[in-house]
Amino acid sequence: MDEQTRNILDILDDDARTSPEEIATLTGMTADEVSRKIEQLEKAKIIRKYKTIIDWDLAGDHYVYAIIQLKISLERKLGYQAIAERLYKFPEVRSVRLLSGEHDIAMTVRGNSMKQVAFFVAEKIATQEQVQSTSTHFVLKTYKEDGLILDEPEQVKKLVVSP
């Protein structure tokens, strides 16, 4: 990958709303060159989606997130890919990752309540034939998401006292 492409991707990864004109200024390219390059990256599926990070607590709507770790027993002719495909089709599942270490797969799941997530895991995930065991970790607080600090302490402004 050339340096200009890498720079465009880094800029968009940091802020997907950065305009081609702003990217052009930062990279020394023209806005037309940036637009063409972004279009190529989208067609090649290197850029898959533009994402917004929402602080649902501040928005006044609360979701419950959980990280589910799975131990998998592989069957003949069925690898991790086939299991992952089954798992990521559930709308509750936000991400699925293959891991090294004690567990094989980690999923992030979203629901309206802890009970809803627990039932989803018990009824839809744990019942999958290749799932040997699950370990559910409910997210209590998110401090940083996709590189963005969500829980920045408020700056205390000191009043200037004149003598």
Side-chain angles (χ1 to χ4, degrees), residues 8-66:
I8 291 170
L9 291 172
D10 284 339
I11 291 165
L12 289 174
D13 190 41
D14 187 50
D15 183 0
R17 295 183 69 189
T18 307
S19 70
E21 291 77 20
E22 291 173 289
I23 295 171
T25 301
L26 294 168
T27 61
M29 299 171 70
T30 68
D32 285 341
E33 289 172 324
V34 170
S35 294
R36 280 194 299 279
K37 181 56 89 172
I38 290 172
E39 187 177 326
Q40 290 170 353
L41 293 166
E42 290 169 344
K43 283 182 181 173
K45 295 190 179 193
I46 293 169
I47 296 177
R48 303 295 293 253
K49 180 180 179 179
Y50 295 93
K51 183 178 179 195
T52 301
I53 299 171
I54 299 167
D55 188 327
W56 289 106
D57 290 336
L58 283 178
D61 203 359
H62 305 282
Y63 286 111
V64 173
Y65 289 88

Side-chain angles (χ1 to χ4, degrees), residues 60-88:
D61 203 359
H62 305 282
Y63 286 111
V64 173
Y65 289 88
I67 298 164
I68 318 298
Q69 295 175 313
L70 308 175
K71 287 186 182 179
I72 303 296
S73 63
L74 292 179
E75 290 182 5
R76 204 172 225 163
K77 298 183 184 179
L78 273 185
Y80 291 112
Q81 182 70 30
I83 296 162
E85 287 172 4
R86 247 184 288 141
L87 296 171
Y88 66 55

Side-chain angles (χ1 to χ4, degrees), residues 87-124:
L87 296 171
Y88 66 55
K89 290 180 181 175
F90 290 108
E92 296 88 347
V93 175
R94 307 296 289 174
S95 67
V96 177
R97 293 181 170 88
L98 181 62
L99 303 176
S100 64
E102 194 173 323
H103 292 89
D104 301 305
I105 290 181
M107 304 184 321
T108 303
V109 174
R110 181 173 84 177
N112 292 318
S113 68
M114 291 176 99
K115 186 177 180 178
Q116 183 187 39
V117 170
F119 275 115
F120 170 72
V121 173
E123 294 174 0
K124 304 285 184 181

Side-chain angles (χ1 to χ4, degrees), residues 51 53 142-150:
K51 183 178 179 195
I53 299 171
T142 301
Y143 295 98
K144 189 174 184 177
E145 181 79 30
D146 285 334
L148 179 68
I149 297 170
L150 299 176

